[in-house]
Amino acid sequence: MFFSTILAATAAFSLASALSSSLQQVAGFTSTPTKAKMYVYIPTNKLAKPPIVVAIHHCAGTGPSYFSETQGYAQNADTHGFIVIYPSSPSSGGCWDVSSTASLTHNGGGDSQTIVNMVKYAETHYGGDPDKVYMTGSSSGAMMTNVLAGAYPDVFKAGTLYGGVPDGCFYVAGATAGMATPAWNSQCSGGKLIKTAQQWGDQVRSYYPGYTGSRPKMLIFHGTIDTTLYYANFGEELKEWSNVLGVSFNHNQTNTPISGYTKMIYGDGTKLVGVSCYNVGHTPPVRVPDDLAWFGIA
Ligand SMILES: *[C@@H]1O[C@H](CO)[C@@H](O)[C@H](O)[C@H]1NC(C)=O
C-alpha cells in the first residue's frame, strides 16, 4: 500500500514535469453563446502560426480531466509546437448539447458555436493557423466532433472520434441551447435510428445550407460491444460521411492499427476511414499518434 502510493506519486510527478508548460483556463475568453469554459495548452516552443487541436471531453468530464486522460496531445504539442484547446461543458452532467437545432446549425448558437469561438480566440490571441484547425473527442465529445464537422466545415480540416453517433442523430424536437442537461435521444443511442446515406447526407448539408467548400476528413473509432452508443451508430456515421464526402467503401485492412481492430477504407483512404474495434466497449481508448497522423501534424 505504502509502496504503491509512492509509485503513483512518482509517476504523476514525472508526467507533469515532462511537459514544458501547463494547462491554463483562459480568463479573457468571453464565453458565448453558451457558458462553456476554455482551457488551453500552449507549449513553450509554440510555433509562430501553430496548428490548433480541439480535444472534446465525454459526459461527466471536464476540459482539465480530458487533458489528464489524453496527455499525449500535450506531449506532442511540446515536440511539434501546436496548441490544444480543451473546452469544458457548461451542463450539469458534463454532456455537450448535440440535440438542439441551435447547436446543430451553422451560426445557430449552442455549444458548437461556443467551441468555434474558442478557435477564433486562439487564432486572434495565439496566432493559431486558421488553415490547420483539427478536432477530436470521446463519446459526447465524439458526437460534438460530428456536429462541428456538419455545422462548421469551414473551420475544421479534419476530425477523429471515439464512440459517437452521426451528426444530427441526437436531435430532439424542442431541445434548446443552454439546457441544464442536454436532451438525450435513446432511439439514437440504442442504434435504432437508421437512415440511408442520402438522408444522412441531406441532413448534414441542411445544417449549413448553400455551403460548397471543403469538408473535414474523418477518422472514426467505435467498439463492437458498445452498450452506451450502440455499434449500429458506427455504420450510420460511415454512411453519413461517405455521402457527404463523396467516397464509397473500398476495402478492409484487418488487425491494424492493433490486433483485433479493422480499418475500413473509403475511397483512397484520405477522406474517410472507420476503425471497428473488436470486443471493445464504450469507448475505444484514444490513440493520439493516429489522430495526429490523420491531422498531418506529427
Ligand atoms: C469490413 O469490416 C467490417 C468490420 O469488421 C465488417 O463489418 C465488414 O463486413 C467488412 N467488409 C468486408 C467487405 O470484408
Side-chain angles (χ1 to χ4, degrees):
M1 175 60 190
F2 178 70
F3 186 58
S4 63
T5 304
I6 300 253
L7 277 183
T10 306
F13 176 75
S14 58
L15 199 57
S17 64
L19 295 176
S20 74
S21 184
S22 58
L23 187 71
Q24 23 167 315
Q25 186 180 346
V26 183
F29 174 68
T30 310
S31 187
T32 59
T34 67
K35 301 278 177 243
K37 294 193 182 84
M38 177 178 181
Y39 292 83
V40 68
Y41 182 81
I42 303 175
T44 305
N45 69 340
K46 174 183 84 64
L47 296 172
K49 216 177 168 190
I52 301 169
V53 175
V54 183
I56 311 170
H57 66 74
H58 43 78
C59 290
T62 63
S65 75
Y66 204 55
F67 167 79
S68 300
E69 291 165 28
T70 60
Q71 286 260 336
Y73 295 125
Q75 286 160 358
N76 276 275
D78 279 349
T79 315
H80 299 284
F82 59 83
I83 64 177
V84 192
I85 297 173
Y86 295 89
S88 216
S89 162
S91 78
S92 57
C95 296
W96 294 101
D97 170 15
V98 291
S99 312
S100 74
T101 297
S103 205
L104 290 166
T105 307
H106 183 73
N107 287 346
D111 285 336
S112 61
Q113 194 168 6
T114 307
I115 292 173
V116 165
N117 286 340
M118 294 179 194
V119 171
K120 289 179 178 159
Y121 185 97
E123 289 169 5
T124 305
H125 292 84
Y126 314 132
D129 187 343
D131 292 326
K132 293 182 180 165
V133 181
Y134 313 101
M135 57 187 162
T136 184
S138 298
S139 191
S140 185
M143 299 192 216
M144 178 53 86
T145 299
N146 277 325
V147 166
L148 288 165
Y152 298 94
D154 52 331
V155 172
F156 296 93
K157 289 291 178 285
T160 67
L161 52 131
Y162 298 83
V165 303
D167 177 29
C169 190
F170 242 57
Y171 166 73
V172 175
T176 54
M179 289 165 76
T181 306
W184 186 267
N185 185 322
S186 50
Q187 188 193 12
C188 176
S189 65
K192 298 202 167 68
L193 193 48
I194 308 299
K195 300 187 185 190
T196 66
Q198 183 70 40
Q199 286 170 330
W200 282 126
D202 289 346
Q203 191 168 343
V204 169
R205 285 180 288 271
S206 77
Y207 294 136
Y208 192 175
Y211 179 75
T212 55
S214 67
R215 294 187 180 263
K217 54 190 283 204
M218 303 297 280
L219 173 63
I220 302 171
F221 293 81
H222 210 109
T224 59
I225 57 169
D226 190 327
T227 53
T228 303
L229 303 174
Y230 279 75
Y231 185 62
N233 281 300
F234 178 59
E236 298 306 297
E237 288 169 297
L238 291 170
K239 277 198 258 176
E240 178 172 78
W241 296 119
S242 71
N243 180 273
V244 171
L245 296 167
V247 286
S248 44
F249 174 75
N250 189 282
H251 68 281
N252 277 345
Q253 294 171 349
T254 53
N255 292 315
T256 182
I258 57 172
S259 174
Y261 283 22
T262 299
K263 266 192 183 178
M264 301 174 67
I265 310 294
Y266 283 71
D268 64 3
T270 57
K271 289 185 176 167
L272 177 62
V273 172
V275 183
S276 177
C277 309
Y278 181 71
N279 230 6
V280 174
H282 192 73
T283 57
V286 168
R287 297 185 55 81
V288 173
D290 292 339
D291 293 344
L292 299 178
W294 185 250
F295 302 154
I297 56 173

